[in-house]
Amino acid sequence: MHELSELPQLLTALPTSVVELGKLFDEAGYEISLVGGPVRDLFLGRISPDLDFTTNARPDDILRVIEGWADATWDVGREFGTIAFRRGKDQFEVTTYRADAYDGDSRKPIVAFGDRLEDDLVRRDFTMNAMALRLPALELVDPNGGLKDVRASRVMTPGTPEVSFTDDPLRMMRAARFTSQLGVDLAPEVEQAMTDMADQINRISRERVRDEIIKTIVGAYPRKGVDVLVRTGLADHVLPEVSALQLETDEHHRHKDVYQHSLQVLEQAADLESDAEGPVPGPDFVLRFAALMHDVGKPATRKFESTGAVSFRHHDMVGAKLTKKRMRELRFDNETTKDVARLVELHMRFYGYGDAGWTDSAVRRYVNDAGPLLERLHRLTRSDVTTRNRRKAERLAFAYDDLEQRIAALREQEELDAVRPDLDGKQIMEILGIKPGPEVGQAYKFLLEHRLDNGPVSPEEAAELLNTWWSERS
């Protein structure tokens, strides 16, 4: 955290074009300020990738001021007062001051251009985003106590939280996202308002909710962000399967806290992500969301056995279906939905490996079933160990080390990442003298099963196996 006295040194991190832009507007007789996230990030010691500005100039005036200075401009929302442009490698967005008025009955915002910086700042979501640096003087403007809240690591709204969240309920999701991205806490009155108004999130489109969930999951502190969603009741409306993980704890403690376990798995999965050059560059939404959702099938499958134990049979399959349904409702794309659900479905596949030992065939099937998700499955499975029993944890880790070594050894011997039959469809038709049709698919499946069970064979051996199979079925 940085003090106000350090601001001159912090400003050296900004592109020189920021001050140049300030001088352009000042010479043209307009106000302009760096605003929002970039200002907040200066005091957090972070460099914001976005350069957002606000001004009393109207959109046409903005275009006139930057003419000849900007290398390119594009329209991102002129009707809302925003002009985007590029100078060298730096990109800028300049928006005319806004002063929102509200319909007296519906409280629906009516957007209007404003003339005062302070009026623009008070309409922003959180105080830490309601700070500005006037250019070119580099004067901090903070009428809502944003710097104080940054120093206190606190999410607070410029006005009352109730009014702010009524104006835009998505701000409640953004509050949770900020706790995940920045590691900050909610002010008590903000958390209370979110708890009281959680159902208002249903006014927001599923797509906008989905985007906030993604940003929360890939934040630096995802466990914190998810816990805010659950604690305030927002998850009841946007991720009810996660809320349902809070199974009532039985008095004999026959099963662990599934909700806290899932948060820990999420945290551990994030820790196992690789760097940009590795197999699972972080932050990886698919891995993290699968970690959060991996046990969502448990509430529906929990059974108290006569022995006193608790079982969750087939919770992996049930969880995969629940995950797929939830992601479709949140309008996730098909590929992301399929990948997350598949990881949830496969997360139990490893268990039993250390006790029974797997054949080469079982190892091939494990790799084949995981497909391109194998590296993520490795990390999800390792993350799923949260036991405090050190010996048990070491045994599971050793067993998975052994499995990965088995996979590596087989990969050296065979094309394990792309297991296919030893004959393709064209060869099958030539050998059997048949035309395209269901029989070709059946023959292909037979050869694939043989390949998984026994490993690769020569084309001659494969042809002999195929002919034998064909004669026995006809």
Side-chain angles (χ1 to χ4, degrees):
M1 200 69 66
H2 296 275
E3 297 296 328
L4 191 57
S5 60
E6 298 175 17
L7 191 54
Q9 291 89 342
L10 296 174
L11 291 171
T12 61
L14 292 173
T16 56
S17 53
V18 170
V19 176
E20 290 178 18
L21 183 67
K23 290 178 180 177
L24 278 179
F25 274 76
D26 185 54
E27 290 168 0
Y30 296 109
E31 298 176 2
I32 189 169
S33 300
L34 184 69
V35 70
V39 180
R40 175 203 68 218
D41 286 350
L42 282 173
F43 291 103
L44 292 174
R46 295 156 39 109
I47 301 301
S48 176
D50 305 310
L51 291 173
D52 298 326
F53 301 82
T54 188
T55 179
N56 61 347
R58 293 332 192 225
D60 289 343
D61 299 325
I62 296 171
L63 287 169
R64 278 194 294 271
V65 171
I66 64 173
E67 186 178 1
W69 184 80
D71 296 325
T73 64
W74 54 93
D75 190 353
V76 296
R78 185 188 296 203
E79 66 274 26
F80 300 109
T82 300
I83 300 295
F85 52 95
R86 177 177 56 80
R87 165 84 169 178
K89 61 180 176 51
D90 301 320
Q91 293 189 8
F92 306 84
E93 281 194 8
V94 179
T95 302
T96 303
Y97 293 158
R98 298 264 287 272
D100 292 345
Y102 299 94
D103 182 281
D105 296 322
S106 68
R107 291 292 300 166
K108 186 175 181 180
I110 303 168
V111 177
F113 293 152
D115 297 303
R116 296 179 67 249
L117 174 58
E118 289 76 10
D119 293 338
D120 180 271
L121 294 177
V122 77
R123 57 168 288 278
R124 293 176 180 266
D125 53 4
F126 306 116
T127 58
M128 62 174 60
N129 290 338
M131 298 186 290
L133 277 177
R134 286 191 190 274
L135 301 173
L138 302 176
E139 171 197 350
L140 180 67
V141 181
D142 181 21
N144 304 292
L147 184 56
K148 178 183 68 176
D149 288 330
V150 167
R151 287 171 171 163
S153 297
R154 178 172 56 219
V155 177
M156 183 55 193
T157 53
T160 66
E162 291 79 8
V163 170
S164 182
F165 297 153
T166 298
D167 294 343
D168 184 1
L170 190 68
R171 288 173 173 172
M172 296 187 288
M173 296 290 299
R174 284 171 57 81
R177 188 239 291 186
F178 269 66
T179 67
S180 170
Q181 288 181 327
L182 303 176
V184 295
D185 296 309
L186 302 180
E189 53 267 54
V190 169
E191 179 159 347
Q192 187 60 56
M194 290 168 64
T195 303
D196 294 341
M197 302 174 64
D199 64 323
Q200 293 299 302
I201 198 61
N202 295 313
R203 291 167 43 196
I204 303 299
S205 72
R206 297 294 91 181
E207 290 84 355
R208 292 181 73 201
V209 168
R210 173 204 62 209
D211 291 346
E212 289 299 325
I213 289 173
I214 292 172
K215 292 173 183 176
T216 299
I217 296 299
V218 301
Y221 309 91
R223 178 175 189 155
K224 194 164 190 173
V226 171
D227 198 42
V228 165
L229 293 176
V230 172
R231 204 168 63 232
T232 59
L234 279 166
D236 294 346
H237 302 279
V238 301
L239 288 174
E241 297 80 8
V242 176
S243 294
L245 291 172
Q246 299 176 104
L247 299 172
E248 63 275 14
T249 305
D250 60 284
E251 59 180 334
H252 300 295
H253 301 287
R254 288 170 291 186
H255 63 82
K256 59 188 164 189
D257 186 322
V258 181
Y259 172 62
Q260 291 298 331
H261 163 74
S262 297
L263 292 184
Q264 188 174 346
V265 174
L266 166 61
E267 203 169 44
Q268 293 180 172
D271 288 341
L272 289 178
E273 291 166 341
S274 65
D275 59 21
E277 305 303 317
V280 185
D284 187 271
F285 174 78
V286 169
L287 171 62
R288 293 187 184 199
F289 200 55
L292 177 63
M293 302 292 282
H294 78 285
D295 274 349
V296 295
K298 280 190 171 179
T301 58
R302 183 175 62 163
K303 181 180 179 182
F304 293 97
E305 305 288 354
S306 58
T307 59
V310 178
S311 66
F312 302 96
R313 290 189 181 87
H314 307 302
H315 76 272
D316 44 354
M317 304 300 293
V318 172
K321 290 178 181 177
L322 290 173
T323 298
K324 189 176 293 184
K325 180 181 179 183
R326 177 55 47 197
M327 293 183 73
R328 284 174 175 166
E329 289 182 2
L330 289 168
R331 310 290 194 271
F332 276 91
D333 65 272
N334 290 335
E335 183 177 359
T336 303
T337 300
K338 182 184 72 173
D339 287 350
V340 173
R342 185 62 168 158
L343 284 172
V344 172
E345 180 183 346
L346 292 174
H347 84 271
M348 292 295 292
R349 188 70 65 88
F350 159 75
Y351 290 93
Y353 173 81
D355 297 326
W358 284 5
T359 61
D360 285 352
S361 170
V363 174
R364 289 189 198 98
R365 288 180 183 276
Y366 188 79
V367 174
N368 187 65
D369 289 348
L373 298 173
L374 181 62
E375 289 292 344
R376 287 184 173 115
L377 183 58
H378 287 335
R379 286 156 176 77
L380 176 59
T381 304
R382 288 184 181 277
S383 300
D384 197 19
V385 179
T386 60
T387 178
R388 294 181 180 179
N389 184 322
R390 187 171 59 85
R391 292 183 65 183
K392 181 178 180 182
E394 288 176 351
R395 177 173 58 81
L396 288 169
F398 177 82
Y400 208 86
D401 287 344
D402 185 63
L403 174 57
E404 288 202 57
Q405 290 166 8
R406 294 273 305 282
I407 291 171
L410 277 174
R411 187 174 275 134
E412 285 187 9
Q413 301 169 28
E414 311 170 16
E415 293 182 17
L416 203 58
D417 294 321
V419 175
R420 295 183 178 87
D422 298 289
L423 301 172
D424 61 24
K426 183 179 179 181
Q427 291 170 309
I428 289 171
M429 288 187 287
E430 288 177 353
I431 292 169
L432 298 181
I434 59 176
K435 295 181 178 180
E439 290 92 348
V440 178
Q442 293 165 10
Y444 188 94
K445 184 178 179 181
F446 161 74
L447 289 173
L448 176 60
E449 291 294 319
H450 188 277
R451 170 75 168 77
L452 289 169
D453 285 338
N454 303 285
V457 297
S458 68
E460 294 76 19
E461 290 176 287
E464 185 177 344
L465 286 166
L466 181 62
N467 281 317
T468 301
W469 170 81
W470 182 254
S471 62
E472 290 176 350
R473 69 182 295 279
S474 57

